[in-house]
Amino acid sequence: MENKGYTQDGSVNLRGHPAVASRTGRWKACGFLVVYEAFERMAFYGVAANLVVYLTTQLHEETVSSVRNVNNWSGSVWMTPIIGAYIADTYLGRFWTFTISSVIYVLGMVLLTAAVRFKPFHPKCNPGNGNPCPTSTSEIAFFYASLYIMAIGAGGTKPNISTFGADQFDDYDAYERKLKASFFNWWMFSSFVGGLMATLGLVYVQENVGWGLGYGIPTAGLMLSLLLFYAGTPFYRHKVKKPESPVKEIFAVLKKAFENRRYKISDLSTLYELEPRQYLSTSKQQLHYTSSFKFLDTAAHRESTTPCTVTQVEATKLFCAMFLVWLTTIVPTTIFAQVNTFFVKQGTTLNRSLGHNFHVPPASLGTFIVISMLISVPIYDKLFVPFMRRRTGKPRGITLFQRLGTGYSSMVVVMTVAYFVERKRMSVIKRFGIEGTKEMVPMSIFWLLPQYLLLGIGEVFISIGLLEFFYEQSPEGMQSLGTTFFTSGVGVGNFMNSLLVTAVDAITRSGGRKSWIGDNLNDSRLDYYYVFLIVLLVVNFAAFILIARWYKYKSEVVEGMVEKRGLQMDSYKVTDANENDEYLGEKL
């Protein structure tokens, strides 16, 4: 196609006309998106960071119940993006899926604000003499309905806004590809800014001014950010949606591989593939053959009826391989779930005084996670990456698997530190003979600070690395669905934490024993639970190492050349396809 100043990747504007490279995309478009992301994260963390406190102090739920409910809601927020991504990749596209979902998201926030602000909507409860609070079922139902409407809205916004941002950079333009290498770092930076606004300001407002105002501020901010998002519409680039569903193609490959399971692949010439010029004429990616998941190769056997192409088979292989990597994300994300549950509950037992009249809200320690991340991202992007780039010759300094491995190992360090801090808290409890649920432990809440700071550093390696990995490795037309590997991993991690908490509580409570994680943390063994998590993290890290050593990276064929997004990810190992005995283009 003649260039005429248009983008080389075939992206279009909202009207479907070819996008002019100089007028659209890049950071001029992403600027609007990162502002939205900051306010959306402020809204989410403004609810999530202090939700366990609201449930226990305002709705008077028990510890295990509140932790389970927080995890279930958080899990839903991170799991619903699977549906939103499927709708975007198959039917509506990212922009329109985001547009519809953002309205639902704002509706949930408005209803949630009403639930905590107006008397007809929140529990009328005045506990006394240790008696349980009588709360209205309808009022509780309204509160949780508002939470889950917000979760449904997040399902359409979360997977599409980050991928829409990445779409603003042309992979076929060397300069824009270089810009894109830093995109996810700064995207997450804006997310961290939103988290900082929530944990630094909103948590304090909620506990000291009022829950209604504490939820109303992020609701107003979210509305404002949406107006700014739509102001950037003329600058946005849009990927052309594939006419066929990429998910259906994957199931078609699996079905065909099962039907052809008796076929033998003697050599690669028995596999069916379109000629490269057919991919070039339709601006579609052709994927290079890899030797992983060989049992799927039979789906492309030439002698079968309506065989799949090698590219379709390779897309399915990528999806299967990404699933294995996804499995290793579940255990580390259970550690993130501790922040809004047990870390906060620990803080409520400690001395929170700062000066004579100020008391630190336990959930506000999450501010230090965000501060740690805000400091770490520029250091990583501006100092660490250039330093490692000079040493390794890799554009990103280290591979994404090395980045993830560093993050995974840091989670072991975080929980080890948390274990020793909990042991210190228990020793103080024993020394002063503290037993009551509401008795303050004479130990500063800032003893918890190291685990929060280390968690922030670890999240820079894990969260950004996973988001970038799943976007880069996703088959064509599946970037939204691909990034839900990241969000769903966080969601399943929350559900897993909920399951672990319930199971550990039930098992340790059996036989009349005290639960490790009972309502009274001053008379529990939270340190044992932390050791249990450390063991899970070590086993998970070992599994990750094995998968990382085996993984085959996405390889594309462009104009007779193999572009392998290998260990360097955004640099390409380029070989002449005609000299590669695994090439399946015109030479067959």
Side-chain angles (χ1 to χ4, degrees), residues 56-57 60 127-131 133 345 347-352 425 434-442 519-523:
T56 53
T57 62
H60 304 279
N129 301 322
N131 296 321
C133 285
K345 291 298 292 182
T348 61
T349 69
L350 300 175
N351 180 7
R352 299 185 285 139
R425 191 182 74 91
I434 296 172
E435 296 180 355
T437 304
K438 296 185 177 181
E439 287 187 71
M440 184 191 71
V441 180
D519 289 336
N520 183 6
L521 286 189
N522 291 337
D523 192 31

Side-chain angles (χ1 to χ4, degrees), residues 22-49:
S22 61
R23 300 176 185 172
T24 61
R26 304 179 188 177
W27 280 107
K28 71 167 66 72
C30 289
F32 296 95
L33 306 183
V34 296
V35 170
Y36 168 82
E37 177 67 7
F39 278 99
E40 187 278 328
R41 290 293 84 187
M42 180 181 74
F44 172 73
Y45 288 114
V47 175

Side-chain angles (χ1 to χ4, degrees), residues 281-434:
S281 64
T282 56
S283 298
K284 292 183 179 179
Q285 292 178 351
Q286 179 183 358
L287 296 180
H288 179 60
Y289 176 82
T290 61
S291 58
S292 59
F293 298 105
K294 288 187 175 182
F295 65 91
L296 293 174
D297 291 345
T298 57
H301 200 287
R302 287 181 177 274
E303 297 180 5
S304 64
T305 306
T306 60
C308 299
T309 66
V310 168
T311 291
Q312 291 172 325
V313 172
E314 288 302 315
T316 305
K317 289 181 179 180
L318 277 172
F319 197 84
C320 294
M322 288 164 61
F323 176 74
L324 293 180
V325 175
W326 174 82
L327 290 176
T328 68
T329 69
I330 297 173
V331 174
T333 53
T334 62
I335 307 308
F336 299 142
Q338 309 309 312
V339 174
N340 297 328
T341 54
F342 286 122
F343 284 9
V344 173
K345 291 298 292 182
Q346 274 181 294
T348 61
T349 69
L350 300 175
N351 180 7
R352 299 185 285 139
S353 299
L354 190 64
H356 296 292
N357 301 315
F358 184 78
H359 294 276
V360 178
S364 68
L365 282 191
T367 301
F368 292 97
I369 295 180
V370 182
I371 292 174
S372 175
M373 292 187 291
L374 289 174
I375 295 173
S376 298
V377 169
I379 291 175
Y380 183 91
D381 193 72
K382 299 300 183 182
L383 298 178
F384 178 77
V385 171
F387 173 76
M388 292 303 298
R389 185 183 293 148
R390 290 191 295 269
R391 294 179 64 88
T392 65
K394 299 173 182 177
R396 288 191 172 123
I398 58 176
T399 70
L400 284 183
F401 274 135
Q402 289 171 337
R403 183 173 190 168
L404 292 176
T406 303
Y408 285 6
S409 60
S410 71
M411 292 299 102
V412 178
V413 177
V414 168
M415 291 314 301
T416 301
V417 171
Y419 164 77
F420 282 112
V421 171
E422 176 61 14
R423 292 289 299 176
K424 168 68 176 178
R425 191 182 74 91
M426 292 180 62
S427 68
V428 174
I429 290 172
K430 183 177 181 181
R431 187 189 319 150
F432 288 90
I434 296 172

Side-chain angles (χ1 to χ4, degrees), residues 132-176:
C133 285
T135 55
S136 166
T137 302
S138 61
E139 291 167 336
I140 302 299
F142 184 86
F143 178 81
Y144 277 106
S146 303
L147 277 178
Y148 281 93
I149 288 174
M150 180 181 169
I152 293 171
T157 60
K158 190 60 185 171
N160 292 304
I161 190 67
S162 59
T163 49
F164 188 61
D167 289 346
Q168 306 308 309
F169 301 93
D170 188 345
D171 277 330
Y172 296 95
D173 182 283
Y175 174 68
E176 292 197 20

Side-chain angles (χ1 to χ4, degrees), residues 50-69:
N50 223 16
L51 185 56
V52 71
V53 174
Y54 184 85
L55 295 180
T56 53
T57 62
Q58 305 299 310
L59 302 189
H60 304 279
E61 294 184 2
E62 295 180 349
T63 297
V64 172
S65 175
S66 64
V67 169
R68 183 170 56 244
N69 287 332

Side-chain angles (χ1 to χ4, degrees), residues 204-240:
Y204 178 81
V205 171
Q206 289 164 359
E207 293 195 22
N208 295 277
V209 180
W211 291 93
L213 183 61
Y215 284 0
I217 292 173
T219 301
L222 188 61
M223 292 178 177
L224 175 61
S225 68
L226 281 174
L227 294 177
L228 293 174
F229 171 83
Y230 291 114
T233 300
F235 303 104
Y236 298 149
R237 298 174 183 174
H238 305 261
K239 295 291 186 182
V240 178

